[in-house]
Structure formats: C-alpha cells, structure tokens
Amino acid sequence: MATALEQAVHGSVLMEQARLQCTLSLSQYEHIARLRTCSLISHACFSAAILAGHTADSTVTKAVRAYASDLGLAYQIMADTVAYQLDVVRDEAPVSILTTPPVLLAVESAAQLAKLAVLGTEGQMDTSAVVSIVNERQGVSQAVAFAERASASAEKHLTALPDSRERMALIQLARCVPRPGVSS
C-alpha cells in the first residue's frame, strides 16, 4: 500500500506540472491517471485477494488487480469530464480544463493545446475557443466513450473469477462508472 500512496503522490505532482506547462498528451494523461487513481484501487484489490487466501501470482489476484486498474481509469476519466462540464457551465473554466479528457481528445496535438492556453487577449486563455473546439469535435462524447472502453476492459478481467454474487457486484460497478448522467 505504501507503493500505491507513493505512486498517487507522484501522479499528482506530474499532473500539476502538466497543468502549469499546459502540455499533456492523452497517453500522458492515462499514465498519470493510472498513478493517481488506479494504483491505489489496484493495490487495495490486490491486498484483499491476498487476505482472502490467494497468492500474489494467482489468476484471481491478477484479475482483480487488472480490473481495478481499468475501473480506476474509467472513474478518473469520468470525474475529470464532469469537472470540465461543471467549469464550463459555471463559466469558471480555469487553465486546468486543458488537462481534461474532453479537451485532450478534441485537440490535434500538444502544440495546439499549448496555443489554446494563450489564445485570448492579454495572455489569458480564451475559454470560449476551448469550449468551441471541444463541442465541434465532440470531446465530451469521446471522453465518455474512452471511459466506456476502460470500463468494458475492467469487466473483461472478471471472466477469470468464478461466478458469484461478488463477481456480479463488481460487474455492476464497472457498468455504472461511465454513466453518471453526463450528457454530451
């Protein structure tokens, strides 16, 4: 668990650096999300499997750890997507929206992302330009689809587990994550 906490802190530091520099690729976002969120959930599931009597290299332990990692990614994508939408609706979009999945999926390159940070007058970010690009390229819909793929991947890992109420509960949890009422 100490490793999970270390990775979570490391991921948070990387995200803050990316926000300050306004440069982040989708693959970097996923790497940071896996450090920040997935690592802790994955290590918790690993610990639970060990406490249930499974060995570290058992099929069950590997399956729940992989499930948790993908579930954590789906959760983080949706949490950041909802945060983006709330910031836009409140018209309080800070520069940090540039590191959210809807924006990262809508922009064509890291260079375009950096340009968006200073498109406005007096060196301020032009939020309307960012929102326009996200809407035009369906960034929110792409983010929800990204979360759905991560959730489906999480669910597939559970095929290694025996049929049980617990397995069904984990499947239901995976199916709930990309559907918190987000509208594109």
Side-chain angles (χ1 to χ4, degrees), residues 1-138:
M1 290 306 286
T3 300
L5 293 174
E6 178 184 345
Q7 289 175 340
V9 170
H10 181 66
S12 294
V13 169
L14 290 175
M15 181 56 81
E16 288 310 310
Q17 288 173 339
R19 285 182 177 151
L20 289 172
Q21 297 167 359
C22 294
T23 57
L24 187 69
S25 68
L26 189 59
S27 62
Q28 290 169 319
Y29 171 87
E30 184 174 341
H31 173 71
I32 290 169
R34 288 195 185 277
L35 287 172
R36 283 178 47 202
T37 305
C38 309
S39 178
L40 186 58
I41 299 168
S42 178
H43 280 80
C45 287
F46 174 80
S47 296
I50 297 298
L51 291 172
H54 299 281
T55 62
D57 62 346
S58 75
T59 302
V60 168
T61 303
K62 289 177 183 176
V64 296
R65 196 167 191 181
Y67 163 83
S69 182
D70 287 345
L71 182 71
L73 179 61
Y75 166 80
Q76 191 63 56
I77 293 165
M78 290 310 301
D80 290 342
T81 299
V82 169
Y84 164 84
Q85 289 183 305
L86 288 173
D87 285 342
V88 169
V89 166
R90 292 180 186 146
D91 200 25
E92 299 174 357
V95 173
S96 63
I97 69 165
L98 296 176
T99 58
T100 62
V103 176
L104 295 173
L105 288 158
V107 298
E108 295 172 355
S109 67
Q112 184 185 16
L113 185 65
K115 286 179 189 173
L116 285 174
V118 291
L119 276 181
T121 59
E122 300 175 18
Q124 297 294 318
M125 180 180 76
D126 183 358
T127 304
S128 63
V130 174
V131 172
S132 177
I133 289 171
V134 170
N135 290 342
E136 179 182 305
R137 298 193 180 141
Q138 300 180 339

